[in-house]
Amino acid sequence: MNPSEVFEIIEKHTKMMDESIPLIASENLTSLAVRRCYVSDLGHRYAEGKVGERFYEGCKYVDEIEELAVELTKKIFEAEHANVQPISGVVANIAAFFALTDVGDTIMSISVPCGGHISHDTVSAAGLRGLKVVHYPFDNEAVNIDVDETARLAREIRPKLFVLGSSLILFRQPVEEIREIANEIGAHVMYDASHVLGLIAGRAFQNPLKEGAEVMTGSTHKTFFGPQRAIIACRKELSERVDRAVFPGVVSNHHLNTLAGYVIAATEMIEFGREYAKQVVRNAKRLAEELYNLGYKVLGEKAGFTETHQVAVDVREHGGGEEVAKKLEKVGIILNKNLLPWDPIDKSANPSGIRIGVQEITRLGMKEDEMKRLAELIDMAVREKKSFEAIREEVKEFRKDFRVIKYSFKESEAYRFPELK
Ligand SMILES: *Cc1c(COP(=O)(O)O)cnc(C)c1O
C-alpha cells in the first residue's frame, strides 16, 4: 500500500460522479473557493471555547473567521443567536436535546417512515439523551403532520419538546400550529432544517424561527452551499444553554478548515441563494410532473407534489425502492431507496419508495428542460426500455454539459481533482 493508490481510488470515485447524475437529496457540491479552505492550516488547529474566550493561544485569526460565520448565520436566518460549531447535523441535534430537555422527558417527533431523521428517535440521539419518543399522528396522503390529532395526543402526553423538520420533506410543516399547542402545555419547539437550510436561506421555504420555533438546527451541506457541518440558530434567552451544550457538551475541536469554507458558502448564499432556491423548487416540481405524466405514483399529488428540492415516488409496482435504486445505479443515476409513511421500519423490508433530490444538479446548472429529459432517462431504466449499457451511454452524454458549479462568485469545475501526488 502506498499513498498513490489512495489517490487512484479517489480519482476513480471522482470520475464515477462526473459521469453520473447525482440525485441524493442530502448531498451537494462546494465551490472551489470553499474547497480551498479544506486544505489550509486551519484544519490542524483547535479553538475550544468562544470567540475571544479561547482555551489555547494562537486563535486570533480563527476568531475573525468564527465571528464572520456567526454574524452571517444570524443575518441569513434572521436569528437572535447562532452557534456555528457543531460538526454535523446529528451533533447539532444532540446539543439541542441537551439544551432543551432532561433525561426521561417525552418528546414528539416524526417517525422515520413518515420522513423523520433517525436522530429524532430512540435508536439514535434522542435515545442517547434518555428521551421517550412519541410520533406525531401523520396524514399519509398529505405527507404531513395531522395537526388536530397531534393537539389531542399532545394534551394527553404533555411532551417537553416538539421536534419538527424531516429527511423526507416535501411540504412546509405546521410550525405555527405546533407553537400554539406548545404554548398551551408549556413545551419547546425545535425545527431540524438539515434538508431545507438552503431553501430557507434563499427565501423559498418557511423560516421556522419566524413561525415560532425557538431553536433551528441544520446541516450546511444538503441544500445549503457549505461543507459538511451544521449550525444552531436560536432565541437569545436560550443562547447560553445552547452554547454550553455544544461546547463543552458535544464538540472539542470544531473543524476550523470547513468553518472557513462555511463562511464562503454563506456569502455565496447571500449573493446567489434566492435565484438558486427558486430554481431548485421549480426543477423539483417539474421533475415530479414529468414522472407523474409518465405514469409514476408521485407522492403529494393533491398539494402539487413538492415545495422543496425533493420528489418521492412510490415504486412498489416496479419492484420496490431497493430494486429500482439498484437498477438506476447501473445506468449512472444515483439516488436512494426510501421508506414511505405506510412502510414498517424493519430493516429487512424493501422500502416502497425512492427519494430524488434536485439541489445538486441545479447547482450544476440544470433547468426545467433537463428535468423532462431526466424523467425520460429514469423511466427508460426503470421500465427497461433499452439495455442498461445503452442507457448508461445516454446518461453520460446528457451529463457532459453540466460540470461547472454555478451560483458562485467564480464558476469552477466540479470534478477537477487537484494534482497532489
Ligand atoms: C441529514 C439529516 C441529519 C444529519 O445530518 P448530518 O450532518 O449528516 O449529521 C439530521 N437531521 C435531518 C432531518 C437530516 O435529514
Side-chain angles (χ1 to χ4, degrees):
M1 183 64 214
N2 69 56
S4 71
E5 290 175 46
V6 178
F7 291 123
E8 277 160 26
I9 298 170
I10 297 174
E11 271 171 29
K12 281 190 223 162
H13 168 83
T14 309
K15 184 167 184 290
M16 176 183 80
M17 295 313 294
D18 192 3
E19 294 178 343
S20 307
I21 303 174
L23 300 175
I24 302 280
S26 55
E27 297 178 356
N28 215 321
L29 289 155
T30 51
S31 67
L32 196 60
V34 170
R35 292 183 207 190
R36 280 186 69 196
C37 301
Y38 300 172
V39 292
S40 71
D41 179 69
L42 291 167
H44 308 132
R45 306 301 157 200
Y46 271 83
E48 288 180 336
K50 295 184 187 184
V51 173
E53 302 168 31
R54 303 294 191 185
F55 287 81
Y56 300 169
E57 305 313 318
C59 295
K60 187 164 130 188
Y61 298 109
V62 170
D63 278 1
E64 282 183 31
I65 287 168
E66 189 161 328
E67 177 122 42
L68 281 169
V70 168
E71 289 312 313
L72 289 171
T73 306
K74 283 164 66 177
K75 180 177 166 188
I76 291 171
F77 300 108
E78 299 175 63
E80 292 174 8
H81 178 76
N83 188 304
V84 295
Q85 297 184 342
I87 54 168
S88 81
V90 170
V91 168
N93 285 346
I94 296 172
F97 290 154
F98 270 80
L100 299 173
T101 63
D102 291 309
V103 173
D105 283 352
T106 297
I107 66 167
M108 285 193 87
S109 69
I110 299 171
S111 75
V112 170
C114 292
H117 190 258
I118 40 167
S119 60
H120 307 166
D121 224 319
T122 39
V123 293
S124 177
L128 273 180
R129 178 57 174 150
L131 301 172
K132 295 190 200 102
V133 178
V134 176
H135 296 133
Y136 293 102
F138 204 77
D139 180 336
N140 289 0
E141 199 182 348
V143 207
N144 216 328
I145 292 165
D146 182 332
V147 174
D148 293 340
E149 284 300 306
T150 296
R152 194 191 53 70
L153 182 59
R155 284 184 196 114
E156 189 185 309
I157 62 167
R158 304 187 83 78
K160 285 282 171 55
L161 170 67
F162 290 93
V163 182
L164 293 165
S166 347
S167 299
L168 177 66
I169 179 162
L170 300 172
F171 303 111
R172 286 167 168 76
Q173 293 182 348
V175 182
E176 285 172 356
E177 291 85 344
I178 297 290
R179 177 76 259 166
E180 274 183 33
I181 305 169
N183 287 347
E184 189 187 315
I185 63 174
H188 291 297
V189 178
M190 94 178 225
Y191 191 108
D192 177 351
S194 290
H195 264 273
V196 288
L197 202 69
L199 305 181
I200 296 169
R203 307 290 189 268
F205 199 67
Q206 67 186 154
N207 182 338
L209 294 171
K210 308 209 82 179
E211 296 183 8
E214 302 144 85
V215 174
M216 178 176 77
T217 58
S219 313
T220 50
H221 49 268
K222 295 183 181 181
T223 51
F224 202 89
F225 291 158
Q228 292 185 322
R229 47 187 302 121
I231 56 119
I232 305 180
C234 67
R235 296 236 178 105
K236 222 185 190 92
E237 61 267 26
L238 289 168
S239 59
E240 274 182 32
R241 273 153 75 182
V242 165
D243 288 350
R244 222 181 310 121
V246 175
F247 177 82
V250 291
V251 302
S252 172
N253 93 75
H254 58 288
H255 300 188
L256 305 172
N257 52 344
T258 61
L259 179 64
Y262 169 72
V263 172
I264 293 177
T267 59
E268 291 171 345
M269 239 332 138
I270 289 169
E271 192 70 20
F272 309 102
R274 285 174 197 241
E275 197 192 338
Y276 156 80
K278 211 182 280 171
Q279 190 62 47
V280 166
V281 177
R282 275 198 216 120
N283 284 352
K285 276 186 182 293
R286 183 59 182 272
L287 180 62
E289 285 161 14
E290 295 291 343
L291 288 169
Y292 180 82
N293 291 338
L294 287 165
Y296 288 90
K297 290 205 171 106
V298 183
L299 269 67
E301 186 189 340
K302 286 205 178 128
F305 302 117
T306 182
E307 297 176 332
T308 67
H309 58 305
Q310 297 185 5
V311 177
V313 189
D314 172 1
V315 291
R316 279 177 292 183
E317 64 197 62
H318 303 285
E322 169 91 23
E323 189 176 320
V324 168
K326 284 269 181 294
K327 218 184 242 186
L328 289 169
E329 187 190 25
K330 281 189 193 151
V331 303
I333 296 175
I334 300 182
L335 47 66
N336 62 278
K337 58 178 182 266
N338 217 91
L339 295 172
L340 295 181
W342 53 82
D343 282 329
I345 199 161
D346 175 4
K347 276 193 233 81
S348 64
N350 181 5
S352 296
I354 52 168
R355 184 184 67 170
I356 306 173
V358 300
Q359 70 295 335
E360 186 169 345
I361 54 175
T362 304
R363 193 135 202 233
L364 288 165
M366 291 195 193
K367 300 234 160 90
E368 286 94 325
D369 285 348
E370 282 76 37
M371 297 305 109
K372 184 169 163 53
R373 177 70 180 139
L374 175 58
E376 285 166 11
L377 290 166
I378 291 172
D379 181 49
M380 238 186 254
V382 172
R383 293 204 167 102
E384 300 188 38
K385 293 183 166 170
K386 290 182 187 169
S387 73
F388 290 139
E389 295 71 36
I391 305 168
R392 178 90 191 91
E393 288 311 308
E394 290 192 39
V395 164
K396 278 192 204 169
E397 192 56 38
F398 171 66
R399 187 66 171 81
K400 269 190 190 150
D401 297 331
F402 301 94
R403 310 173 63 211
V404 168
I405 297 171
K406 311 279 184 181
Y407 307 99
S408 53
F409 292 100
K410 189 163 175 269
E411 292 186 355
S412 43
E413 283 175 54
Y415 305 99
R416 201 183 73 208
F417 182 56
E419 198 55 57
L420 295 171
K421 280 183 266 186

